[in-house]
Amino acid sequence: AGPAGGAPSGPAAAPATGGTLRVLANADFSHLDPVRGFDGGVNNFYRLIYRGLTMFDAAGPNADGTKIVADLATDTGKPSDGAKTWTYTLKDNLFFEDGTPINSEAVKFGISRAFDPEAGIGSPYAKLLLDAPKDYKGPYESGDLDTIETPDAKTIVFHLKKPFADFPSALALGNFTPFPKGTGAAAAFDTKPIASGPYKVASYQRNASLKLVRNPRWKADTDTVRAAKPDAFEWTFGLDPATMDERMLAGQGADTDAIAASLQAAAVARAQTPQIKARTLSGLNGCTTYMSLNTTKKYLGDVRVRQAINYAVNKDTVVAGMGGSTLAAKGTSIQPPTVAGRVDYDPYPYNVEQAKKLLAEAGLSGGFSLELDTRPVPKMSAVAVAIQEALKQVNIDVKINNVDTSTFYEVIGTPAKQKDMAVTGWCPDWASGATFLPPLFDGRNITAKGNANLAQINDKGINARIDEIADMAEVEQANAAYGELDKEIMKLAPIVPLAYEKLTLLVGTNIAGAYMSNAYSGGIDLVSVGLAKPTK
């Protein structure tokens, strides 16, 4: 796929070296420590200060930023034992910001931190994939992890629990970051990280500001991905989204050197003038907004009821509620168009009569009530109302239950607290069905807390197929199989795919090298971006 936005001039022009790039943000990063943080925005940021064995390629004129490439390692890894063992060799001349060499011990130490009960709250992949003793609790409590071998200073050998053909993709995530042995106990890296990338933290005030400057120990000739054009990056946190939109539309003063989050619906309409449009990028954010249907609840245990709800929901009114076609596209399949192997199909086109027929078969023509969990933010409230109106046509009374935004995911991820339905979304950890379908639909993954299988579906056929696909030795074959599994799952209608959200990003007039990255929920790829003309 090509880049999501940008013509060869304006935002997509080649950046110069130097200057300070400014980032306007509503909220601070979750964590600067990469074994703790795990959301699209922070994963994009980590690549400026940290390096791993592999990484997502930079987004650019001919790349969408989802390809896995070598970073600290000489290649993306050599599998053996049917992809149950993976061997990596480090490049020469690699150093941390404090001058410590980046060697195999540092790689092993950094990755074993993911097992620490206090710290390892980010990406689950180290714990899911690496073969480790049941009682292993990270390097601070349990010492060395013997299943990561370091035969010499430049060689690392990983032993996995079971074969995994897509291991190089998992390694690109933040919690596989090396650190000097013995560092980073407690939450040290949340305030004072040790950089391996082109930038290091110069100053940081939580929820206010963050400044990065060049890391003199980083050597450009060891790094084929990071352009590292600006001399510095400066974040301002805690800005109101409407204020950010106004500042980006005006584009005055230091804001000519700024980037920000996606424009809100009201601002998108104002960004249609030729001058402003020339500095916008737009495209899918790589996620699916959907409504889960809790299959353990009274009415929703019947597949006919779930199918009826799928037919009855009018996706056009959902898209309108999300700000119209510039901010969303109709959702039909579980996986969004940006996922490899995804099949384009529409199993439940809008059809009120078909919905009524299925409810009659289920003996429920007389009507019933369902509760819908949502967040009290304008866009989600509009989506909830669109669903409420649509289901009224088939005699289903929807009661909207607003859950506080800060605890929303915690509440819906706790089966004991979850209502009948919830409006939520899912973004892949990398653009593969492996990080989309198993977390949402493997019945063996249902947990009392932090549960992602909101439909609480536990189907033997789906579970068995997930295992078969996981055992496939070829990543392309597996992704194609997930595309077909998407169809099989939707026959059971455990969710209603609602929309694929689009972003419209507006950049300052002096920004260059700006591309949307499909690897990071559609944000601007931070390793490519810079300034057209560096200002002193």
Side-chain angles (χ1 to χ4, degrees):
S9 64
T17 299
T20 297
L21 192 139
R22 301 171 195 283
V23 189
L24 311 183
N26 171 240
D28 197 349
F29 295 117
S30 51
H31 292 277
L32 299 192
D33 185 337
V35 302
R36 294 169 188 262
F38 185 47
D39 44 273
V42 79
N43 286 329
N44 188 2
F45 162 78
Y46 285 152
R47 294 147 77 228
L48 292 174
I49 59 172
Y50 299 128
R51 297 181 69 180
L53 293 172
T54 65
M55 70 181 287
F56 290 106
D57 198 4
N62 305 306
D64 65 3
T66 59
K67 185 175 179 240
I68 296 294
V69 293
D71 185 6
L72 293 171
T74 54
D75 57 32
T76 56
K78 294 189 169 52
S80 55
D81 188 18
K84 199 177 172 186
T85 304
W86 286 82
T87 303
Y88 289 83
T89 306
L90 290 167
K91 293 171 182 169
D92 296 321
N93 287 323
L94 303 169
F95 299 93
F96 291 104
E97 68 169 274
D98 63 358
T100 313
I102 300 175
N103 58 17
S104 57
E105 277 294 328
V107 173
K108 173 178 176 151
F109 173 77
I111 292 172
S112 62
R113 293 179 71 246
F115 290 86
D116 186 277
E118 291 304 307
I121 55 174
S123 156
Y125 291 98
K127 288 178 278 199
L128 287 174
L129 298 172
L130 297 175
D131 188 19
K134 279 254 189 288
D135 57 354
Y136 184 70
K137 288 185 178 163
Y140 310 114
E141 274 192 56
S142 305
D144 271 5
L145 179 57
D146 297 337
T147 47
I148 302 177
E149 290 182 79
T150 52
D152 59 61
K154 290 182 66 174
T155 310
I156 305 108
V157 183
F158 295 97
H159 296 280
L160 309 188
K161 287 178 188 168
K162 57 181 189 181
F164 191 70
D166 216 0
F167 188 59
S169 297
L171 270 187
L173 301 175
N175 65 344
F176 291 93
T177 301
F179 285 105
K181 194 168 181 179
T183 61
F189 294 153
D190 264 349
T191 48
K192 192 83 191 78
I194 297 175
S196 42
Y199 299 95
K200 61 181 185 176
V201 174
S203 63
Y204 180 39
Q205 276 156 330
R206 184 86 189 143
N207 299 322
S209 64
L210 170 67
K211 182 170 185 179
L212 302 184
V213 293
R214 291 196 183 276
N215 168 16
R217 302 283 185 169
W218 172 81
K219 294 180 167 47
D221 60 2
T222 68
D223 195 331
T224 56
V225 183
R226 295 168 184 81
K229 293 294 187 181
D231 288 334
F233 281 81
E234 274 186 20
W235 273 261
T236 304
F237 301 117
L239 296 170
D240 175 69
T243 305
M244 287 195 289
D245 288 352
E246 290 304 329
R247 283 177 60 175
M248 294 310 294
L249 285 162
Q252 304 293 314
D255 291 342
T256 59
D257 297 348
I259 60 174
S262 182
L263 294 173
Q264 299 184 99
V268 170
R270 292 166 56 199
Q272 301 307 312
T273 66
Q275 293 89 333
I276 295 176
K277 207 166 183 180
R279 51 189 181 98
T280 61
L281 304 169
S282 60
L284 294 166
N285 74 344
C287 310
T288 298
T289 300
Y290 70 93
M291 179 169 71
S292 59
L293 303 176
N294 185 340
T295 60
T296 67
K297 297 288 188 185
K298 185 177 174 186
Y299 301 107
L300 298 174
D302 189 325
V303 67
R304 294 168 298 189
V305 174
R306 302 194 300 268
Q307 289 170 337
I309 291 170
N310 265 279
Y311 278 120
V313 171
N314 184 347
K315 312 277 175 79
D316 289 325
T317 59
V318 169
V319 165
M322 291 177 78
S325 60
T326 52
L327 287 174
K330 258 194 313 197
T332 55
S333 62
I334 302 164
Q335 301 181 104
T338 48
V339 165
R342 182 249 191 189
V343 179
D344 187 15
Y345 74 107
D346 187 356
Y348 301 102
Y350 180 51
N351 188 330
V352 176
E353 290 315 306
Q354 187 59 27
K356 286 179 176 170
K357 195 174 140 203
L358 284 161
L359 290 172
E361 281 175 30
L364 290 168
S365 298
F368 56 96
S369 290
L370 293 172
E371 272 192 87
L372 174 65
D373 285 331
T374 191
R375 288 163 281 170
V377 294
K379 189 162 52 177
M380 292 300 127
S381 299
V383 171
V385 169
I387 289 163
Q388 187 180 47
E389 291 298 316
L391 295 187
K392 200 181 276 179
Q393 302 175 96
V394 295
N395 236 350
I396 299 174
D397 175 37
V398 175
K399 292 182 169 45
I400 295 171
N401 178 46
N402 277 307
V403 181
D404 184 67
T405 305
S406 61
T407 58
F408 178 74
Y409 291 109
E410 213 175 294
V411 170
I412 65 170
T414 307
K417 295 182 180 174
Q418 199 190 339
K419 299 286 192 277
D420 299 295
M421 310 184 291
V423 175
T424 183
W426 191 260
C427 305
D429 301 319
W430 61 88
S432 147
T435 73
F436 224 98
L437 302 182
L440 298 185
F441 304 106
D442 187 332
R444 299 156 299 183
N445 289 347
I446 298 168
T447 50
K449 276 186 178 164
N451 175 47
N453 182 344
L454 301 182
Q456 293 188 57
I457 189 162
N458 189 3
D459 180 84
K460 282 194 175 69
I462 292 173
N463 298 352
R465 188 62 185 146
I466 285 171
D467 288 344
E468 285 166 17
I469 300 173
D471 286 342
M472 290 177 180
E474 291 298 319
V475 177
E476 285 78 11
Q477 183 196 4
N479 283 332
Y482 281 122
E484 291 305 314
L485 180 60
D486 190 314
K487 293 181 180 170
E488 291 307 305
I489 293 169
M490 278 311 294
K491 286 178 186 169
L492 299 176
I495 71 166
V496 181
L498 296 170
Y500 309 122
E501 202 170 342
K502 292 183 192 172
L503 303 178
T504 297
L505 299 156
L506 181 56
V507 302
T509 49
N510 192 33
I511 293 292
Y515 298 96
M516 285 183 70
S517 169
N518 286 339
Y520 296 104
S521 303
I524 286 174
D525 193 333
L526 295 174
V527 304
S528 313
V529 73
L531 303 178
K533 293 188 179 113
T535 38
K536 286 284 176 277

